Amino acid sequence: QVQLAESGGGLVQAGGSLRLSCTASGLIFNWRTMAWFRQTPGLERECVARIAWGSGNIFYADSVKGRFTISRDNALNTVYLQMNSLKPEDTAVYYCAAGTPAASSRTNDYNYWGQGTQVTVSS
């Protein structure tokens, strides 16, 4: 049974930082592209960052470039999202996702999803 267990969400003031973690079990983690998506009510789920299996191919949405950093530890089956200089518009439910090796930013490229963790940034 595949599980993606997220942690690290919460409430933070604008300008603050949070670190999200996602630990995978039940799948071969090393060769998968891992990603963080976020979703707010009424909007589509968007990919904020993704990282390929070897960490050499990393993507960031324009809205988070320079503020968020995605990383992975294949030995721990864990992917991280360090979020700095948070803004109220970063408020969303953040989802960890495991995709195919060549996964893009499309949700259809991801087979497995975490339950989501709420991030709220107050102004």
Side-chain angles (χ1 to χ4, degrees):
Q1 181 180 0
V2 175
Q3 289 189 327
L4 299 180
E6 300 140 335
S7 61
L11 172 65
V12 65
Q13 289 188 332
S17 298
L18 285 173
R19 189 193 196 203
L20 305 183
S21 299
C22 170
T23 299
S25 60
L27 54 75
I28 301 174
F29 180 85
N30 291 10
W31 60 267
R32 288 185 176 271
T33 292
M34 299 297 296
W36 288 96
F37 287 74
R38 68 185 180 188
Q39 189 169 25
T40 54
L43 297 179
E44 291 187 357
R45 195 170 293 189
E46 67 164 340
C47 180
V48 296
R50 69 173 189 269
I51 183 168
W53 65 275
S55 300
N57 187 354
I58 293 176
F59 161 86
Y60 295 103
D62 287 343
S63 57
V64 307
K65 276 181 184 175
R67 301 188 298 120
F68 290 11
T69 302
I70 190 171
S71 61
R72 64 190 293 164
D73 187 332
N74 289 337
L76 297 178
N77 283 8
T78 300
V79 61
Y80 306 96
L81 186 67
Q82 177 67 44
M83 304 186 294
N84 298 330
S85 302
L86 282 160
K87 304 175 180 180
E89 51 263 43
D90 294 318
T91 296
V93 177
Y94 284 71
Y95 297 90
C96 171
T100 62
S104 67
S105 298
R106 301 183 310 154
T107 56
N108 287 348
D109 289 350
Y110 294 84
N111 312 95
Y112 303 104
W113 295 83
Q115 78 284 358
T117 185
Q118 177 70 46
V119 170
T120 302
V121 184
S122 63
S123 58

